[in-house]
Amino acid sequence: CMKQCIKLYEQAVQLDDNFALAITGIADAYSMLSTYGFMDSDEAYPKARKFVLDAISRDPELSEAYTSLGWIQFAYEWKLKDSEKSYRKSLKLNPKIAQAYQWLGINLHAQGKFKEAYDSYKLGLDLDPNHHVLLYNFTQSCNSLGKYDEGEIHAKKSISFFYNIFRSSKRAIIDRNK
């Protein structure tokens, strides 16, 4: 799926070589290929970094590019403070990106800033209350703060969304093979 995304984003960039958002999409696809184990980190993340820096050079005000850069700095480079700064810059440019709040929350949680992580996840959930991965991450934050009842509620919601996604995908495969 991510490899197909890369191809489609590349086609979009061929149509408009200043389409920084599509270039950021390529960066994210490479990052996620590594994150989910489909590509070696030492191959994927340098490619992702090259694309995201290219996107920033084309549009220095593109919030999504700083979100992507923050993930690379966090997940591959382990530059937690730089990553946090990138997420905060992204959110300053556009405070309506749930993914930026989620990844900032992951970063803050890794730094042991559990209350700040909780607050960041909460802001992300205000924007996208049905994002099952964000719900899962929020659950971890609740548990770190001893808010077990709240964590349980969000864990159940996350699992129900994941189950419905899985069931829908399974149904689509069955229908396609009929």
Side-chain angles (χ1 to χ4, degrees), residues 78-171:
W78 286 100
K79 295 180 179 177
L80 301 185
K81 294 294 183 187
D82 291 343
S83 171
E84 182 181 345
K85 286 178 189 172
S86 293
Y87 293 134
R88 292 195 187 283
K89 182 169 185 168
S90 172
L91 291 165
K92 184 178 179 185
L93 291 167
N94 183 354
K96 296 188 185 237
I97 298 179
Q99 189 71 50
Y101 289 109
Q102 178 191 359
W103 287 353
L104 174 60
I106 292 170
N107 175 303
L108 294 168
H109 196 269
Q111 292 184 61
K113 299 177 181 180
F114 302 129
K115 176 66 171 107
E116 288 182 62
Y118 174 91
D119 292 341
S120 187
Y121 291 134
K122 197 89 158 133
L123 290 167
L125 286 171
D126 288 345
L127 295 169
D128 189 354
N130 298 325
H131 189 299
H132 72 279
V133 178
L134 181 50
L135 285 162
Y136 170 77
N137 293 135
F138 183 66
T139 297
Q140 291 178 323
S141 186
C142 290
N143 291 340
S144 295
L145 293 172
K147 298 180 178 207
Y148 303 115
D149 291 339
E150 185 178 6
E152 181 182 4
I153 290 166
H154 288 86
K156 287 178 179 177
K157 188 174 179 182
S158 173
I159 290 167
S160 73
F161 284 121
F162 181 75
Y163 174 75
N164 287 333
I165 291 168
F166 173 76
R167 195 174 71 202
S168 296
S169 297
K170 184 176 175 184
R171 171 65 55 208

Side-chain angles (χ1 to χ4, degrees), residues 21-111:
L21 188 57
I23 296 168
T24 301
I26 295 170
D28 282 343
Y30 278 115
S31 290
M32 292 304 106
L33 281 168
S34 174
T35 297
Y36 293 110
F38 294 104
M39 192 173 189
D40 182 78
S41 294
D42 290 332
E43 181 183 356
Y45 280 109
K47 286 182 179 185
R49 179 175 252 294
K50 177 185 142 312
F51 281 105
V52 81
L53 293 177
D54 184 22
I56 290 170
S57 72
R58 292 168 198 255
D59 186 352
E61 301 298 310
L62 182 62
S63 174
E64 292 86 350
Y66 294 99
T67 301
S68 300
L69 178 61
W71 182 256
I72 295 163
Q73 292 165 322
F74 173 81
Y76 181 68
E77 298 170 353
W78 286 100
K79 295 180 179 177
L80 301 185
K81 294 294 183 187
D82 291 343
S83 171
E84 182 181 345
K85 286 178 189 172
S86 293
Y87 293 134
R88 292 195 187 283
K89 182 169 185 168
S90 172
L91 291 165
K92 184 178 179 185
L93 291 167
N94 183 354
K96 296 188 185 237
I97 298 179
Q99 189 71 50
Y101 289 109
Q102 178 191 359
W103 287 353
L104 174 60
I106 292 170
N107 175 303
L108 294 168
H109 196 269
Q111 292 184 61

